[in-house]
Amino acid sequence: MEKHITVEGTTINYFLKKSKRAKRIIVYIKKGGIVFVTIPYFIKEGMEEEFLRKKYKWIVKTKKNYIKTEFTKDGVHLDDNIINYKKEALNLVTTRIKYFNSFYNFKFKNIRIKNQESRWGSCSTLGNLNFNWKIVLLPQSLSDYIIVHELCHIKEMNHQDKFWDLVSLKIPEYKKLKKDLIARKLL
Ligand SMILES: [Zn+2]
């Protein structure tokens, strides 16, 4: 059933479903920001409105991130779905690094996926490559840019011309992508 609530002048449309199996209210935000709400049978329809109202700020923020999150009866949300995104991110990064490094042939140690607040990726002096799990939410052109950027730091630990020359071998349009990435705030 299609429903909506309006909070602080912003309307949130959502699809409501009652479920026999659900044990808690589930808010599922799909790509494109479509909101699905599943409520257990023992919760009266309409009860979700108050709940969504309380979680309004979270929903608006999450609509941009497409995270599936479950809530307990008390409204505490369980972040275990980030674990799935981390797995997905590791898959993506590993595959793309393999692809790009068949060209570069750099020696790195480990690939790690982190829950960083302010960075898309980093390269440690020990040769570890770190990436933000949110990389999976980006278009591939941008995630490839981040991956190649960090990979090239294995060879050039700076942002001087030599470094960008290396990046441009595989990502010739890196200047544009770099700008796109800055324009895209990391939530
Ligand atoms: Zn860098």
Side-chain angles (χ1 to χ4, degrees):
M1 187 199 318
E2 210 179 333
K3 296 187 71 174
H4 70 269
I5 53 159
T6 303
V7 189
E8 291 171 22
T10 305
T11 301
I12 297 171
N13 295 305
Y14 62 97
F15 292 92
L16 182 73
K17 209 179 103 187
K18 277 201 151 196
S19 158
K20 277 184 181 150
R21 282 188 305 156
K23 289 188 176 66
R24 51 178 76 109
I25 296 178
I26 299 167
V27 181
Y28 184 12
I29 298 169
K30 281 200 171 181
K31 270 198 176 176
I34 303 164
V35 183
F36 294 86
V37 180
T38 301
I39 56 170
Y41 259 88
F42 57 82
I43 290 183
K44 236 168 87 185
E45 200 203 306
M47 293 273 282
E48 85 284 354
E49 285 182 22
E50 194 47 41
F51 181 81
L52 293 174
R53 230 173 267 281
K54 272 188 213 151
K55 293 288 168 188
Y56 157 77
K57 282 205 176 118
W58 177 87
I59 290 168
V60 171
K61 191 180 164 197
T62 309
K63 264 164 81 78
K64 295 171 192 160
N65 278 353
Y66 323 127
I67 301 167
K68 183 183 176 188
T69 300
E70 296 189 9
F71 293 91
T72 65
K73 260 192 284 178
D74 313 320
V76 178
H77 77 256
L78 310 170
D79 262 341
D80 54 349
N81 290 294
I82 286 181
I83 294 166
N84 293 331
Y85 278 101
K86 278 186 166 174
K87 277 185 205 153
E88 229 180 278
L90 186 61
N91 256 331
L92 171 87
V93 171
T94 310
T95 311
R96 296 309 281 165
I97 283 186
K98 208 172 157 192
Y99 169 77
F100 287 116
N101 211 30
S102 65
F103 171 80
Y104 288 111
N105 256 314
F106 297 151
K107 285 203 166 45
F108 60 90
K109 276 199 180 142
N110 297 304
I111 299 169
R112 293 199 182 108
I113 303 298
K114 296 193 167 181
N115 197 359
Q116 293 159 309
E117 278 292 305
S118 57
R119 312 175 82 172
W120 286 108
S122 60
C123 174
S124 78
T125 45
L126 297 170
N128 292 315
L129 298 167
N130 306 311
F131 296 93
N132 194 311
W133 65 267
K134 286 175 186 161
I135 199 168
V136 290
L137 305 172
L138 292 173
Q140 186 162 5
S141 56
L142 289 178
S143 56
D144 276 353
Y145 162 70
I146 295 165
I147 289 163
V148 169
H149 181 124
E150 298 311 333
L151 184 61
C152 288
H153 275 320
I154 294 283
K155 184 93 169 57
E156 292 289 332
M157 260 295 182
N158 55 62
H159 292 117
Q160 284 162 20
D161 289 353
K162 265 192 188 169
F163 167 78
W164 293 114
D165 288 346
L166 275 178
V167 172
S168 71
L169 292 175
K170 276 294 163 189
I171 314 278
E173 71 283 24
Y174 73 88
K175 277 185 187 160
K176 183 193 171 292
L177 294 169
K178 196 178 157 198
K179 266 190 205 154
D180 285 357
L181 198 63
I182 292 166
R184 204 178 270 260
K185 275 209 187 104
L186 204 136
L187 289 163

